[in-house]
Amino acid sequence: AVDVQQECQRLTKERERLDYQLQAPAGKLAHAQFLERAPAEVVERERVKQQSWREQRDALAEKLRALGC
């Protein structure tokens, strides 16, 4: 059996971690200087990383809603 409250805490902590991680690529991608100077593959890697983490965060948010957290 799954302890819903414990699972809510775990998922919330994971979502907070992803929110924190998303700050780094968002900060880089918001700076024109980074976009101008960084190689295209580095910029693309940051965009892919950001998108992946957003999708993970959104999936966690949906799980939290489903559990009624």
Side-chain angles (χ1 to χ4, degrees), residues 1 3 5-8 12 15 17 19 23 26 30-32 40 43 46 48 52 54 59 63 65 68-69:
D3 181 342
Q5 188 174 17
Q6 192 172 15
E7 185 66 4
C8 286
T12 298
R15 187 183 62 191
R17 183 186 66 80
D19 284 339
Q23 292 174 13
H31 286 96
V43 174
E46 289 298 313
V48 168
S52 173
R54 276 189 183 147
K63 287 179 184 179
R65 275 192 292 278
C69 303

Side-chain angles (χ1 to χ4, degrees), residues 5 8-9 13 34 37-38 41-44 51 53 57 60:
Q5 188 174 17
C8 286
Q9 289 174 348
K13 188 174 180 179
F34 172 76
R37 293 185 178 182
E41 58 270 4
V42 172
V43 174
E44 183 59 24
Q51 182 61 31
W53 288 344
R57 185 194 59 197
L60 285 172

Side-chain angles (χ1 to χ4, degrees), residues 8-38:
C8 286
Q9 289 174 348
R10 186 186 73 77
L11 293 174
T12 298
K13 188 174 180 179
E14 180 66 12
R15 187 183 62 191
E16 289 170 355
R17 183 186 66 80
L18 286 167
D19 284 339
Y20 179 77
Q21 280 185 300
L22 276 165
Q23 292 174 13
K28 289 179 184 178
L29 294 171
H31 286 96
Q33 191 174 31
F34 172 76
L35 297 174
E36 292 169 3
R37 293 185 178 182

